[in-house]
Amino acid sequence: MPSAGAAGALPAQLPAHMQIQRDNVICGPDLNYHTETVKQNDIYKLLNINNAWDFRDWVDKFRIKVQQKDKLDMQFDMVGIDPAIANAFRRILIAEVPTMAIEHVFYVNNTSIITDEVLAHRLGLIPLNADSTLFEFKTREEAASEKNTFVLRLQVTCKRQGSQMVNDRVYAEDLKFMPMGSLMPDETGCRFAVGQQQMLPQGVQPVDDKILLAKLRPGQVIDLEAHCIKGQGKEHAKWSPVATSWYRLLPEVVITKPIMGERADAIAQECPGLFEVEGKGKGRKAKANSAREHPKLLEKVRRMCGEQFWEDHVRLQKRKDHFLWTIESTGQPPKVLFMAAIDILAAKCDKLLESL
């Protein structure tokens, strides 16, 4: 019978403790252990196990399951992927998926108490409902045109009508889309050859109409043009399409040694919902439920793993290849943003292959 390392031997299974370390981060009371991912092809060579990445195996195991989705937020599970790839998606979502934002503000009049610079900064951070794929990137040397720019106009005057003040608060909804471009092209250098009515038939509106921009008193005026261009979050946060994009590893609570009788009652009382008691009498035992449904109890379980009374019975671990994703968009559908991130990463891979 051939030995485990002999040529032609059938692939062996990793010992249970090594499999646990390979697949999971072990959460100790003070430190996390086995946090690295095992990538070397021959690391288990002496056990006659090939650790090489296999595309077909990855296709069979990889999956995405959407847990929750609405207009601006999406939560989903991504299973069977390397942490480096997951982090690449996160960074691309934050810094490289392009959006449209206000870049240049041309003032006609501003008699409010807010200085021009502060107001321009506020305007730049307003998320806009605009499809960035319809526009080209604009370089510093290029002139503004209908292909790389759209224009918003803000013209508000505060007046007193009887005992009431009109326009004492300036909101994002007061920004009006100008499909024909700038009204003062000589000053702004923005000239459209054709209007943008067909390109943007619905116009452009802020994601939230009630973003407060300024407060005015009677007689005060704000009159300006805001020119919007395409950009990326790595240049300025105003172009980031997400408020945040993040993930965490799937937590698991494992009962490593049966918890019976009064000890089962104690742990169910200590962590209600996470643990429950099955059976009755002396044969009753504790059962661990889904850890992801009880996030507030996980730090308590971590502490229990370091207590002599529980350390042989309970283990807290996190799956290294199971990511719980959250995307919080500032305007565009989260699914569209994630698909754009996939396209950008694929383009990077194509560029790398071309250069080899």
Side-chain angles (χ1 to χ4, degrees), residues 77-88:
D77 290 14
M78 181 184 288
V79 185
I81 201 168
D82 190 271
I85 303 300
N87 194 50

Side-chain angles (χ1 to χ4, degrees), residues 93 96-102 127-128 130-133 135 137 150 228-233 236-242 330 332 337:
L93 278 166
E96 296 189 47
V97 176
T99 62
M100 305 296 293
I102 294 172
L128 303 171
D131 186 357
S132 62
T133 61
F135 294 87
F137 282 100
F150 65 82
C228 309
I229 66 172
K230 186 175 181 177
Q232 295 173 308
H236 193 286
K238 67 185 178 183
W239 279 300
S240 180
V242 294
T330 57
Q332 300 182 60
L337 296 179

Side-chain angles (χ1 to χ4, degrees), residues 192-205:
F192 286 6
V194 295
Q196 295 176 324
Q197 295 92 335
Q198 294 185 351
M199 180 190 298
L200 300 168
Q202 305 299 323
V204 177
Q205 301 83 28

Side-chain angles (χ1 to χ4, degrees), residues 180-214:
M180 297 306 297
S182 176
L183 296 180
M184 41 187 183
D186 292 336
E187 291 80 4
T188 64
C190 176
R191 289 179 171 84
F192 286 6
V194 295
Q196 295 176 324
Q197 295 92 335
Q198 294 185 351
M199 180 190 298
L200 300 168
Q202 305 299 323
V204 177
Q205 301 83 28
V207 173
D208 189 340
D209 289 340
K210 293 302 179 182
I211 298 175
L212 183 64
L213 301 179

